[in-house]
Amino acid sequence: MEENGAFKIDFKYYLGILYKRRYLAIAVALIVISVFTWGGFLMPKTYEANATVYIQGTSLINPLMQGVGVTVSLEERLRNLRNILTSRSLIERVIKKLNLDDKISNPTQYESLIEGMRKSLTVTVRSGGATASDLYFSIAYRGGDPKKVTSLVNTHISECIAINESSRTQDVYGAFSFIEKELNEYREKLDASDKLIREFREQHPTLVPQSENTVVSRIETFQSGKIDAEIKLRELEKKRESLKKQLSGEKELTVAFVTREGSPQARLSQLNNQLILLTTKYTEDYPEVIKVKNEIEELKKQIAMASTQRHEGAGTETAAVNPVYQQLREELARTETEIETLRARQGELTKQQQEGQSLLRKMPKEQEEWTKLQRNRAVYQRIYDDLLIKLESARVSRDLELGQNSTFKIMDPPVEPHLPIFPNRVKMILVGLFLGIIAGIASVVALDYLDPTFKNEDLLENGLKLPLLATVPQIETEEDRAASRLLDRKYYKAAAIYLGIVGLVLLEEVISQILGVRIL
């Protein structure tokens, strides 16, 4: 119902219709309870037999010999054991052992039998125990015959132990034989390689082989040095050209003025000399060069403004050696010397490189043959040494594997099941009781929802759009009420008796599951 735009449930109304249609609710509930209660007795029963086996390896020798033999990872051992337990060959051995294929007349039925056994088989494998070599595995079979599933579990375990003992011996000897065969083959290859080397030395007694890689490495080193010298030579040649250009703009002798100390002319001369020295080392954009140029320009302006008084503060003229010219000459001479040195080094590197290339081109055919023989022998020797180590490890592993005799212990033997794992009647009865109550209430609500009659006065006025003048209540006599109460007692009594029977069945199933015995 909706009130002020919000949905509201009128519990009093629904309790009223539930009481009004109480017979329907009880009947539907009992029907649902009956379906779940007695349906569990009609379903086919499924029994399960299982067993847990402990595989105990050697607990004393394995830790002492760890790392000596060829070891197998735990994951691989678990995977191998699981594959064995679910293999087709093991299932076929179980079928032959129990004569399950006596009534099979064609391959299709045989394949169906194997597939059915695989579906009913459950295998669980895990590690544990005192050492890492100890394993556990559980086997479970499901079926309709408790004796048959118990026999299947027992036979499966016994056949698994038999297969493990035979396959373990075959695997150990097979791995050892394979490594031994490979070792003999490489021993023959190594002997043949030694024979070829001995014959080669007899034919070329004076040959002293050189390493081709060493010669190539020397040539590459000379090439790298030659490239570095060429780059440095180009830098020095550019520097020489710059010095010559600067030297051509200077005079060997210069006129010096004897001036008063601190005059603008003396400062200008110093700045010019400083600028010349800076330009020999730095570019025009160097900050110090720009600073000196700006100061020179400022001094020139000051000297121009005081040109009328120039002769008053001037001294006498004298000829002297230009220091800038002299410094440029010395720097040029040093550069020439470095250039000559680099050219000599470049020539020596070129000579050494040519000699190495000539030696590489002139290496005789015997040298290549010798390198090939040495390389092949080194490869054979390395593989032979590895196989020899593996053979000794496999021999130790074989002796340990054959001597340890893993012990199979049945920790939880299979027991013939007396109670089925399916159907679970206790659960079905409880679910039936719950769903029966829900179904009884739902049937009443659904019937009321589908009933087209008006339920009260408000619905009648809203539906017909007419005012309600009067209502006529239902007239119920004392005899009618007595008859209704009598019918209720009979109905409730029958329902209570039926639920009591269901309760007794539930109690019997609970006791049978807990104690393993049946009362009824």
Side-chain angles (χ1 to χ4, degrees):
M1 296 182 180
E2 294 184 3
E3 183 176 348
N4 297 329
F7 184 77
K8 183 179 180 181
I9 299 177
D10 190 350
F11 289 100
K12 185 176 180 180
Y13 170 77
Y14 284 106
L15 288 175
I17 65 171
L18 182 62
Y19 177 77
K20 181 180 179 181
R21 294 185 172 91
R22 56 190 177 278
Y23 299 143
L24 174 63
I26 293 174
V28 172
L30 292 178
I31 291 173
V32 174
I33 293 173
S34 300
V35 170
F36 279 86
T37 300
W38 310 118
F41 290 90
L42 299 177
M43 291 181 178
K45 299 177 182 179
T46 301
Y47 296 88
E48 181 183 78
N50 56 71
T52 301
V53 181
Y54 173 51
I55 306 177
Q56 182 181 12
T58 303
S59 59
L60 178 61
I61 299 179
N62 281 346
L64 297 177
M65 300 302 296
Q66 187 175 6
V68 177
V70 180
T71 59
V72 181
S73 64
L74 177 61
E75 291 77 9
E76 186 175 356
R77 295 180 68 237
L78 293 174
R79 184 170 58 253
N80 292 339
L81 179 58
R82 186 179 293 105
N83 293 337
I84 292 174
L85 293 172
T86 58
S87 63
R88 180 187 178 92
S89 60
L90 181 56
I91 294 177
E92 289 180 343
R93 290 178 62 136
V94 173
I95 293 175
K96 298 295 182 183
K97 190 76 173 181
L98 298 177
N99 297 322
L100 299 179
D101 56 345
D102 290 345
K103 299 180 180 180
I104 293 178
S105 58
N106 56 69
T108 303
Q109 294 179 352
Y110 187 73
E111 292 297 328
S112 299
L113 175 62
I114 293 178
E115 188 63 26
M117 290 185 64
R118 279 182 170 172
K119 290 181 179 180
S120 63
L121 173 64
T122 303
V123 174
T124 304
V125 181
R126 62 184 177 88
S127 61
T131 64
S133 61
D134 297 341
L135 301 175
Y136 287 92
F137 70 87
S138 299
I139 295 178
Y141 268 100
R142 291 185 177 183
D145 188 353
K147 293 183 178 180
K148 181 179 178 181
V149 294
T150 306
S151 300
L152 285 172
V153 173
N154 280 320
T155 307
H156 202 109
I157 292 175
S158 60
E159 294 300 318
C160 174
I161 294 175
I163 288 179
N164 179 76
E165 291 298 327
S166 61
S167 63
R168 183 169 62 91
T169 303
Q170 294 176 0
D171 293 342
V172 170
Y173 278 105
F176 182 81
S177 301
F178 174 77
I179 297 176
E180 189 176 27
K181 179 182 177 182
E182 292 294 317
L183 183 67
N184 292 332
E185 291 181 0
Y186 275 93
R187 183 186 291 114
E188 294 177 358
K189 292 181 180 180
L190 189 60
D191 293 340
S193 179
D194 290 337
K195 181 179 179 181
L196 292 175
I197 291 176
R198 184 172 58 255
E199 293 176 353
F200 182 85
R201 286 180 174 177
E202 291 175 355
Q203 295 176 2
H204 309 280
T206 59
L207 177 64
V208 182
Q210 295 189 43
S211 174
E212 181 179 346
N213 293 333
T214 302
V215 177
V216 173
S217 178
R218 289 176 57 193
I219 294 175
E220 292 177 353
T221 302
F222 294 147
Q223 180 65 21
S224 299
K226 183 178 176 182
I227 293 174
D228 294 339
E230 185 176 354
I231 294 174
K232 183 65 176 177
L233 183 61
R234 291 178 181 177
E235 293 177 354
L236 291 175
E237 288 177 348
K238 290 182 179 180
K239 182 179 179 181
R240 182 181 61 181
E241 295 297 326
S242 177
L243 290 173
K244 287 183 177 180
K245 183 178 180 181
Q246 295 177 14
L247 192 62
S248 62
E250 294 292 334
K251 295 181 179 180
E252 183 176 0
L253 298 178
T254 183
V255 178
F257 289 94
V258 180
T259 61
R260 290 191 304 269
E261 185 178 357
S263 65
Q265 188 64 38
R267 178 60 181 164
L268 180 62
S269 179
Q270 293 176 0
L271 291 176
N272 285 328
N273 293 334
Q274 184 179 357
L275 179 61
I276 293 173
L277 293 176
L278 289 174
T279 53
T280 59
K281 298 181 180 180
Y282 307 105
T283 61
E284 298 291 333
D285 297 330
Y286 190 70
E288 189 66 24
V289 174
I290 297 175
K291 178 181 177 181
V292 173
K293 285 185 176 181
N294 292 336
E295 192 173 351
I296 290 174
E297 293 296 330
E298 185 65 27
L299 283 174
K300 286 181 178 180
K301 292 179 180 179
Q302 294 178 7
I303 293 173
M305 292 175 62
S307 59
T308 56
Q309 301 176 358
R310 175 179 177 184
H311 295 286
E312 295 178 2
T316 58
E317 296 182 357
T318 180
V321 177
N322 190 348
V324 176
Y325 182 86
Q326 187 67 24
Q327 187 173 2
L328 291 175
R329 287 287 300 273
E330 293 175 358
E331 184 68 22
L332 182 61
R334 285 194 298 269
T335 304
E336 292 285 356
T337 303
E338 292 180 8
I339 290 174
E340 293 299 328
T341 303
L342 281 176
R343 285 177 177 174
R345 181 185 177 188
Q346 189 178 24
E348 183 63 24
L349 289 173
T350 302
K351 179 181 177 183
Q352 294 291 339
Q353 184 181 14
Q354 292 175 353
E355 290 179 357
Q357 292 174 349
S358 177
L359 177 63
L360 189 63
R361 287 193 299 268
K362 293 180 180 179
M363 289 183 70
K365 183 179 180 181
E366 291 80 1
Q367 176 66 35
E368 298 177 3
E369 184 67 22
W370 171 260
T371 303
K372 181 179 179 181
L373 292 174
Q374 290 291 98
R375 183 173 59 250
N376 291 342
R377 190 191 184 285
V379 172
Y380 294 152
Q381 185 67 49
R382 184 176 66 254
I383 297 176
Y384 178 81
D385 293 340
D386 293 341
L387 288 174
L388 186 60
I389 295 174
K390 290 182 179 180
L391 182 66
E392 294 302 319
S393 300
R395 180 180 288 108
V396 175
S397 297
R398 181 193 63 183
D399 297 340
L400 292 176
E401 190 71 23
L402 295 178
Q404 66 182 356
N405 292 327
S406 299
T407 304
F408 287 78
K409 295 183 180 180
I410 300 178
M411 306 299 295
D412 297 323
V415 179
E416 182 178 337
H418 297 288
L419 297 175
I421 62 171
F422 181 83
N424 189 337
R425 293 171 182 168
V426 174
K427 184 183 293 185
M428 291 185 65
I429 293 174
L430 293 176
V431 172
L433 290 172
F434 176 75
L435 293 180
I437 296 173
I438 299 299
I441 297 174
S443 63
V444 171
V445 174
L447 185 62
D448 180 72
Y449 179 77
L450 298 175
D451 187 5
T453 61
F454 296 103
K455 307 300 186 299
N456 52 45
E457 296 83 352
D458 295 335
L459 294 176
L460 181 61
E461 287 184 345
N462 294 332
L464 298 178
K465 306 298 182 181
L466 295 173
L468 181 65
L469 300 178
T471 60
V472 179
Q474 183 180 359
I475 301 175
E476 187 177 11
T477 65
E478 186 64 29
E479 289 79 7
D480 294 335
R481 287 192 289 270
S484 177
R485 287 194 295 269
L486 179 61
L487 181 61
D488 286 345
R489 284 195 296 271
K490 292 180 179 180
Y491 210 86
Y492 295 155
K493 184 177 180 180
I497 294 173
Y498 187 79
L499 289 177
I501 296 174
V502 173
L504 290 176
V505 173
L506 175 62
L507 180 62
E508 195 272 341
E509 291 295 330
V510 172
I511 294 175
S512 64
Q513 286 191 8
I514 296 176
L515 301 180
V517 294
R518 291 192 177 275
I519 301 175
L520 301 178

Coordinates of all heavy atoms in Angstrom, one line a residue, residues 19 36 41 69 99 132 183 303 312 327 349 443 450:
Y19 N -4.8 -15.6 8.1 CA -5.8 -16.4 8.9 C -7.0 -16.8 8.1 O -7.5 -17.9 8.3 CB -6.2 -15.5 10.1 CG -7.2 -16.2 11.0 CD1 -6.8 -17.2 11.9 CD2 -8.6 -15.9 11.0 CE1 -7.7 -17.9 12.7 CE2 -9.5 -16.5 11.7 CZ -9.1 -17.5 12.6 OH -10.0 -18.2 13.4
F36 N 10.3 -32.4 -0.2 CA 11.7 -32.5 0.2 C 12.0 -33.6 1.2 O 13.1 -34.2 1.2 CB 12.1 -31.1 0.9 CG 12.5 -30.1 0.0 CD1 11.5 -29.2 -0.6 CD2 13.8 -29.8 -0.4 CE1 11.8 -28.2 -1.4 CE2 14.1 -28.8 -1.3 CZ 13.1 -28.0 -1.8
F41 N 14.2 -39.9 0.1 CA 14.2 -41.4 0.1 C 14.0 -42.0 -1.2 O 14.3 -43.2 -1.4 CB 13.0 -41.8 1.0 CG 13.3 -41.5 2.5 CD1 12.8 -40.4 3.1 CD2 13.9 -42.5 3.3 CE1 13.1 -40.1 4.4 CE2 14.1 -42.2 4.6 CZ 13.7 -41.0 5.2
G69 N 73.5 -36.1 -5.8 CA 72.8 -36.8 -6.8 C 72.0 -35.8 -7.6 O 71.9 -34.6 -7.3
N99 N 37.7 -57.5 -12.3 CA 36.9 -58.1 -13.4 C 35.7 -57.2 -13.7 O 34.5 -57.8 -13.8 CB 36.5 -59.5 -13.0 CG 37.6 -60.4 -12.8 OD1 38.6 -60.4 -13.6 ND2 37.6 -61.3 -11.8
A132 N 61.6 -33.6 3.2 CA 60.9 -33.1 2.0 C 60.6 -34.2 1.0 O 59.8 -33.9 0.1 CB 61.8 -32.1 1.4
L183 N 77.9 -40.0 -22.8 CA 79.3 -39.8 -22.4 C 80.2 -40.6 -23.3 O 81.3 -40.1 -23.7 CB 79.5 -40.3 -21.0 CG 80.9 -40.1 -20.4 CD1 81.2 -38.6 -20.2 CD2 81.0 -40.8 -19.0
I303 N 90.0 60.1 -24.0 CA 91.2 60.7 -24.7 C 90.8 61.7 -25.8 O 91.5 62.7 -26.0 CB 92.1 59.5 -25.3 CG1 92.7 58.7 -24.1 CG2 93.2 60.1 -26.1 CD1 93.4 57.5 -24.6
E312 N 100.5 68.2 -23.4 CA 101.0 68.7 -22.1 C 101.3 67.5 -21.2 O 102.3 67.6 -20.4 CB 99.8 69.5 -21.4 CG 99.6 70.8 -22.2 CD 98.5 71.6 -21.6 OE1 97.9 71.1 -20.5 OE2 98.1 72.6 -22.1
Q327 N 105.0 37.1 -27.6 CA 104.2 36.0 -27.0 C 103.5 35.2 -28.1 O 103.4 33.9 -28.0 CB 103.2 36.6 -26.0 CG 102.4 35.5 -25.2 CD 101.6 36.1 -24.1 OE1 101.5 37.4 -24.0 NE2 100.9 35.3 -23.3
L349 N 101.2 5.1 -36.1 CA 100.0 4.4 -35.9 C 99.6 3.8 -37.3 O 99.1 2.6 -37.3 CB 98.9 5.2 -35.3 CG 99.1 5.6 -33.9 CD1 98.0 6.6 -33.5 CD2 99.0 4.4 -33.0
S443 N 1.8 -18.3 -1.1 CA 0.6 -18.7 -1.9 C -0.6 -17.8 -1.4 O -1.4 -17.5 -2.3 CB 0.4 -20.2 -1.6 OG 0.1 -20.4 -0.3
L450 N -4.1 -11.8 -6.8 CA -4.8 -12.1 -8.0 C -6.3 -12.0 -7.8 O -7.1 -12.1 -8.8 CB -4.4 -13.5 -8.4 CG -2.9 -13.7 -8.8 CD1 -2.7 -15.2 -9.1 CD2 -2.6 -12.8 -10.0

